[in-house]
Amino acid sequence: MKHLKSILLVAVALLVTVGLSAKPKIRIIATGGTIAGISTTSASSAYTAGQVGIQTLLDAVPQILNLADISGEQLVNIGSQDMNDEVWLKLAKRVNELLNKEGYDGVVITHGTDTMEETAYFLNLTVKSDKPVILAGSMRPSNAISADGPANLYNAVAAAVSPKCRGIGVLCCMNNQLLDAKTVIKTHTIDCDTFEGGPSGIIGYIYNGEAHILQTPNNKHTKESVFDVSKLEKLPKVGIVYGYANASALPMQAFVDAKFDGIVLAGVGDGNFYKDVFEVAVKAQNKGIQIVRSSRCPTGPTCLNSEVDDEKYHFVAALNLNPQKARVLLMLALTKTHDWKEIQEFFLEY
Ligand code: ASP
């Protein structure tokens, strides 16, 4: 009896020790990008994104094994210029599975930088979990001199294991900084210091493998989001029309003819249309195609009822979303409603 008691005590002690020392379970999903890119020579600017697989990415930064119990999977291996709705749906479903069914504590997604902000925002609206979801990429290919991928991946894992990164939505981790999915923008074509959080700035930073959070987002995201893609096989079709002096109405008309469900204007100034484009947009809205006004200006909101009378024409103002993110929200909004007023509400909330 005494013997049995001590065996039990040892077993309990062992379980507690293992439990206490167990590292957070983090899954890394690789999708390609420059972080998985290879250049012809280490000093050359010519390279191809999405060449090496998940194991090569993990092998380049063995230090992540000190932070977490790491496992990886390859979802796709593409340059993020080829990112599409199909991969987004697959990715959102997989992240939800990992966090809500398979017991993972966080997910890191390696991704090209070109469309990272769009993927981050899509996940911000479709992942149903408070657990950290962090996107990381790089501006230099994996075999470049001073490749930035390994440090970005290490920092992303440090963010994914941090309780401070729970409940603040999907984040991007680049160049030692943490950026919020709604505000993050790629600002420079080639520099490592390319991501910015716009006027609201970065959300935090990583220093010595620790996440430091400076502010939290005030828009709805993740668990508070009403958008559910779990049963969707495709998304509504939404295109973007760019504004410029003497603009042609042909692109807007082409989207109408191709029966797109929505069109986002990357307008001039405060989301203004060239007159010919405006005429097509009014007719499109009358046919039930939703029109969202955003701006080609890098900063500042596209305001409701400013130079354009949105109430009169039933247009939606993108407010603080740039055209590419307004497209993401409009696609998801169209899975719920075709009422422009309800869509405008979504733009106020998300
Ligand atoms: N074109 C690359 C991509 O987005 C650029 C990068 O990853 O930095 O996949």
Side-chain angles (χ1 to χ4, degrees), residues 28-73:
I28 302 187
I29 303 179
T31 69
T34 297
I35 192 168
I38 292 279
S39 61
T40 28
T41 71
S42 57
S44 148
S45 67
Y47 73 98
T48 312
Q51 295 298 296
V52 306
I54 176 78
Q55 199 51 49
T56 311
L57 296 187
L58 301 184
D59 290 347
V61 51
Q63 298 85 340
I64 53 176
L65 299 175
N66 301 328
L67 300 174
D69 171 1
I70 298 282
S71 58
E73 66 186 70

Side-chain angles (χ1 to χ4, degrees), residues 254-271:
F255 283 134
V256 174
D257 295 343
K259 301 203 170 16
F260 270 49
D261 305 289
I263 302 168
V264 174
L265 173 78
V268 292
D270 192 358

Side-chain angles (χ1 to χ4, degrees), residues 43 132 297 328:
C297 291
V328 170

Side-chain angles (χ1 to χ4, degrees), residues 10 36 50 83 105 114 118 125 127 129 160 177 223 254 272 285 320:
V10 172
M83 189 49 65
D105 299 301
D114 290 354
E118 289 159 73
L125 300 176
V127 167
S129 172
Q177 298 180 333
K223 274 180 95 174
N272 290 317
Q285 215 302 326
N320 287 307

Side-chain angles (χ1 to χ4, degrees), residues 211-271:
H212 301 267
I213 300 300
L214 306 170
Q215 55 176 331
T216 53
N218 55 14
N219 53 287
K220 285 190 182 172
H221 56 75
T222 54
K223 274 180 95 174
E224 305 147 339
S225 167
V226 294
F227 305 114
D228 179 5
V229 294
S230 59
K231 296 194 177 66
L232 296 184
E233 295 304 327
K234 60 183 178 125
L235 292 166
K237 284 195 293 182
V238 174
I240 300 176
V241 167
Y242 203 81
Y244 52 97
N246 202 47
S248 164
L250 286 175
M252 176 83 78
Q253 189 60 54
F255 283 134
V256 174
D257 295 343
K259 301 203 170 16
F260 270 49
D261 305 289
I263 302 168
V264 174
L265 173 78
V268 292
D270 192 358

Side-chain angles (χ1 to χ4, degrees), residues 252 273 276-286 289 291 315:
M252 176 83 78
F273 297 88
D276 299 5
V277 181
F278 174 73
E279 272 174 32
V280 178
V282 172
K283 284 190 198 138
Q285 215 302 326
N286 289 337
I289 300 171
I291 307 290
F315 294 152

